[in-house]
Amino acid sequence: MCTAVVRFDPTGPVPVLLAGIRDEFLGRPWRPPAAHWPDRPGLIGGHDLRAGGTWLAVDPAVPRVACVLNGRGRPAADEVRVSRGVLPLQAAAHGGLGDLDLERLDPFHLLCAEPGLVSLWSWDGRDLTGQRLRPGLHLVVNSGLEGRDPAHAGPGDEHLSARVSHLRPRLESALLPPLDGGSPAAAWGEWLPLVDGDGLDRADPRALLVRQRFGDGVYGTTSVSLIALSAERVRYDFNPDPGNPAAWGRVV
């Protein structure tokens, strides 16, 4: 149940603000954001140690950011499946999907943003759709843009709808981040506490940060990323302990 939030204002001083909330099994190993890929030395992102890819990647030189969320639909065949963690690396480096064989990938939503363009691709195991997002505030969850994917309704959709309905007006009424402070709290202002849980219990249907037990494992929010892009600068802040304000640190 990952979530991505992007505010796009191509004529503003900071055209892209993006929040990436990663949900995963807590026992899955990973490393914090850094330049982890020798074949892609310009990219920075968290490193999934099981599959080798990432959930979010930034290329500060372009600048460009890309993040992936699980989608709904037909999964790839076990014998050919590759990790969706390749998608943010490909998109952050090249701005698109390139020649990836989608039949080998489980369903996904891939968001890619740079100062003049924000794109969203969705793959359901059969069909690929792509769109350019208009200026404004957009939320992407597992059930698609704004949680609207009637063709692939699934369990938990009511929680996703509650999350979007709660978070959207809160972000729309929040003051825009000043982005001129040294600390993450000073830079992101009213945005930071909203994407860091907004004080909601993790069992609340509206909660952005979640925690659930599945069998012998625990699934929950493992990190929160905040990225700002303009032609002149990039800011990337990261929290590896969501809900703990003291855990925030600057990556770039």
Side-chain angles (χ1 to χ4, degrees):
M1 285 169 42
C2 297
T3 302
V5 177
V6 61
R7 183 186 181 276
F8 181 41
D9 179 8
T11 63
V14 184
V16 172
L17 302 174
L18 185 141
I21 292 83
R22 186 196 185 210
D23 299 335
E24 184 53 85
F25 281 99
L26 302 190
R28 185 162 180 151
W30 57 279
R31 292 190 290 174
H36 293 295
W37 300 273
D39 60 330
R40 300 178 186 271
L43 298 187
I44 298 171
H47 188 202
D48 176 25
L49 294 175
R50 181 174 298 176
T54 188
W55 55 96
L56 183 150
V58 177
D59 186 339
V62 175
R64 185 186 293 127
V65 59
C67 64
V68 67
L69 294 80
N70 294 353
R72 303 270 180 78
R74 183 185 68 180
D78 291 342
E79 61 270 19
V80 300
R81 179 181 292 115
V82 296
S83 169
R84 287 168 289 198
V86 304
L87 291 164
L89 297 174
Q90 168 66 25
H94 304 291
L97 291 167
D99 58 357
L100 290 174
D101 183 358
L102 297 181
E103 294 290 340
R104 303 184 66 190
L105 294 161
D106 285 340
F108 64 79
H109 304 291
L110 177 65
L111 185 66
C112 182
E114 51 192 85
L117 176 66
V118 178
S119 302
L120 176 67
W121 296 274
S122 296
W123 165 249
D124 67 1
R126 291 184 171 85
D127 298 306
L128 177 70
T129 60
Q131 57 185 307
R132 293 186 174 186
L133 300 188
R134 296 180 178 179
L137 181 70
H138 306 276
L139 284 79
V140 184
V141 291
N142 301 116
S143 51
L145 183 63
E146 306 299 331
R148 301 184 190 126
D149 186 6
H152 300 101
D157 280 5
E158 67 278 5
H159 290 261
L160 296 174
S161 296
R163 180 183 303 176
V164 171
S165 297
H166 172 78
L167 189 59
R168 168 172 283 286
R170 303 275 285 162
L171 284 169
E172 286 178 333
S173 63
L175 294 175
L176 290 179
L179 296 171
D180 55 2
S183 71
W188 289 94
E190 294 182 6
W191 269 54
L192 189 140
L194 291 177
V195 303
D196 210 17
D198 199 22
L200 295 176
D201 187 275
R202 299 197 184 204
D204 191 310
R206 303 168 297 167
L208 185 63
L209 308 185
V210 300
R211 187 181 180 94
Q212 305 174 33
R213 178 165 291 279
F214 287 98
D216 295 332
V218 178
Y219 184 87
T221 305
T222 59
S223 67
V224 180
S225 302
L226 283 167
I227 295 95
L229 303 181
S230 72
E232 294 78 26
R233 60 177 175 162
V234 174
R235 175 145 190 155
Y236 182 0
D237 292 285
F238 184 76
N239 189 339
D241 184 17
N244 177 6
W248 280 96
R250 186 166 183 177
V251 180
V252 177

